[in-house]
Amino acid sequence: GHFEAKPDFMAYTSAINAWASGNSPEKAKRAWNLFLKMQDRYKDGDLSIKPNDVSLTAVMNACAHIPKRSSTEHQQNALRIALEAQNILLQDGDNSNEYGTANSVTFKTLIIVFGKLIPSVARRRHFVSVAFERCCKEGQVDESILRVLKTYTPDLHAKLPANKELPNEWSRNIRKGRRSKVNREINL
């Protein structure tokens, strides 16, 4: 018989992840273009290629890890792309939309993007603070969030509750095994 092979969600997301792990200063742009192709094919009726939070987080990951030697233009473009991906996933202040739900990996990746790509300390602090507040609101704070918060904005990390006990609602949507580690990680 005749079999027509075509790329699906997994193939595109794997290609986005491949760009994210490469060394090209163009990787954010290439990952974003693959996502846009996915989105166009989905909107044209190919349901097997529906983008989701995994594909959008993979794009953000490509942005977070552009090579240090990249030009200012590449870094600014990566930041713009990450913000566009964030806006799609967190549109209208809603954490659940047609592309899925932002999770702790998404928020961690955003904090890394802001930490690496925003040179101004005040501006970086603002963007990380907004992402962290949203992460808390969505109940997605886990130990990885606390580590990147400490790495990129140690002053924000230092302002966490003095008794080292984070509010339970900040991690209410983290799987049980990971939730118990959150309060231990505050002392990183």
Side-chain angles (χ1 to χ4, degrees), residues 158-178:
K159 290 182 179 180
L160 292 175
N163 65 2
K164 305 300 183 199
E165 287 292 322
L166 299 177
N168 286 333
E169 63 267 16
W170 286 9
S171 60
R172 71 185 178 281
N173 292 319
I174 300 296
R175 289 183 312 218
K176 277 194 179 217
R178 294 177 68 201

Side-chain angles (χ1 to χ4, degrees), residues 11-35 53-70 78 81-82 105 109 112-113 116-117:
Y12 270 88
T13 302
S14 295
I16 291 170
N17 280 321
W19 276 109
S21 64
N23 291 321
S24 171
E26 296 278 327
K27 68 177 166 180
K29 180 181 176 185
R30 299 290 185 129
W32 183 242
N33 287 340
L34 283 171
F35 171 80
D53 54 298
V54 175
S55 49
L56 283 161
T57 300
V59 169
M60 291 179 212
N61 191 46
C63 298
H65 298 290
I66 67 166
K68 290 180 182 178
R69 71 184 190 291
S70 299
I81 290 168
V105 176
T109 305
I112 293 170
V113 166
K116 288 184 172 185
L117 297 178

Side-chain angles (χ1 to χ4, degrees), residues 134-177:
R134 182 66 183 269
C135 184
C136 292
K137 176 184 171 206
E138 300 300 337
Q140 293 293 338
V141 177
D142 68 5
E143 64 274 4
S144 69
I145 297 293
L146 299 175
R147 278 194 299 274
V148 294
L149 190 66
K150 185 174 184 180
T151 298
Y152 295 107
T153 53
D155 59 321
L156 284 177
H157 185 271
K159 290 182 179 180
L160 292 175
N163 65 2
K164 305 300 183 199
E165 287 292 322
L166 299 177
N168 286 333
E169 63 267 16
W170 286 9
S171 60
R172 71 185 178 281
N173 292 319
I174 300 296
R175 289 183 312 218
K176 277 194 179 217

Side-chain angles (χ1 to χ4, degrees), residues 7-156:
D8 62 3
F9 158 80
M10 289 299 292
Y12 270 88
T13 302
S14 295
I16 291 170
N17 280 321
W19 276 109
S21 64
N23 291 321
S24 171
E26 296 278 327
K27 68 177 166 180
K29 180 181 176 185
R30 299 290 185 129
W32 183 242
N33 287 340
L34 283 171
F35 171 80
L36 293 176
K37 239 183 224 180
M38 278 179 88
Q39 190 178 44
D40 287 345
R41 287 195 47 206
Y42 173 67
K43 287 180 178 178
D44 287 344
D46 186 349
L47 302 181
S48 73
I49 203 158
K50 181 180 180 180
N52 68 11
D53 54 298
V54 175
S55 49
L56 283 161
T57 300
V59 169
M60 291 179 212
N61 191 46
C63 298
H65 298 290
I66 67 166
K68 290 180 182 178
R69 71 184 190 291
S70 299
S71 69
T72 302
E73 180 182 344
H74 283 112
Q75 292 176 19
Q76 289 172 347
N77 192 44
L79 179 60
R80 180 191 57 77
I81 290 168
L83 289 170
E84 286 186 43
Q86 170 200 296
N87 289 341
I88 290 171
L89 196 53
L90 299 172
Q91 53 186 266
D92 301 324
D94 187 5
N95 190 36
S96 184
N97 64 54
E98 74 173 307
Y99 294 126
T101 302
N103 59 35
S104 62
V105 176
T106 306
F107 288 111
K108 177 187 83 169
T109 305
L110 271 175
I111 292 171
I112 293 170
V113 166
F114 300 150
K116 288 184 172 185
L117 297 178
I118 300 177
S120 160
V121 174
R123 191 167 176 241
R124 179 183 330 119
R125 186 180 193 289
H126 169 75
F127 276 85
V128 170
S129 177
V130 169
F132 181 68
E133 286 173 17
R134 182 66 183 269
C135 184
C136 292
K137 176 184 171 206
E138 300 300 337
Q140 293 293 338
V141 177
D142 68 5
E143 64 274 4
S144 69
I145 297 293
L146 299 175
R147 278 194 299 274
V148 294
L149 190 66
K150 185 174 184 180
T151 298
Y152 295 107
T153 53
D155 59 321
L156 284 177

